[in-house]
Amino acid sequence: MAKLGAFKYSDNAGLQKAYKSAESDYNNWYNSADKHLNQYQSDVDALYNQVMNQEKFSYDPQKDQLFQMYKQQYMNQGNRAMQNQMGIAAAAAGGYNSSAAQTSAQNTFQGYMDALSDKAAQTYQNALDMYKYNQQNILDRFNSAREMNNAGNEAYYKQLDSKAQRMNNAYTAFNNDRNFQYSGWNDNRTYQQNQNIFNQNQKNWKKEFALQQKLYKGK
């Protein structure tokens, strides 16, 4: 009987090769975490700092170009209206300015100043609305960047789990095939060992029988 050599796995079905490929694919993906994880983290951090460090709302009409435009416009219109009113009142009084005329002109001018106050309230509200809009815009951008970052991380780990499952399945198939082959090899080894023992016992029995016969004939 030919001597049975040491066990050697035969990858005829390509299962070991498939496992090695899946293992390499998983390791490459696992080791590339830095490239796939937290792709938008820098944006998240920068926008978070903007959200947390945003200055409190303040309004200075002297620095508001729109209000200054209204102010110049209403001042000019008020002065013209005041002068016109004084001219009309003076003409009615025979060319003399009276306290009544001055009061009427001043009231006319004050009407324009009251209208300017309304415009100041409007420009204040416009500035506040713009502040709130910018504040919400930064917050929306922060939430969007965070969602994108989380989605990217989730996609990476989902892909990693998929590759891990593929690797585990490939290993299970390879290991089962290897165990099956080893079991067959081990059965053959056990059979061969039993045969060798049987053959040796037969030889020993024949020697013993021959010896017994020789001793018997010697008597």
Side-chain angles (χ1 to χ4, degrees), residues 38-61:
N38 299 319
Q39 297 183 56
Y40 302 95
Q41 190 61 48
S42 60
D43 294 336
V44 173
D45 294 340
L47 290 167
Y48 175 80
N49 288 333
Q50 290 186 45
V51 170
M52 298 304 296
N53 298 321
Q54 190 171 19
E55 295 181 359
K56 293 182 178 180
F57 174 74
S58 63
Y59 179 72
D60 184 357

Side-chain angles (χ1 to χ4, degrees), residues 86-96:
M86 289 183 67
I88 293 172
Y96 295 98

Side-chain angles (χ1 to χ4, degrees), residues 73-83 108-109 112-113:
Q73 177 184 345
Y74 278 77
M75 289 287 290
N76 292 339
Q77 292 177 352
N79 284 325
R80 284 196 299 268
M82 182 174 65
Q83 292 172 3
T108 299
F109 180 80
Y112 280 91
M113 294 302 97

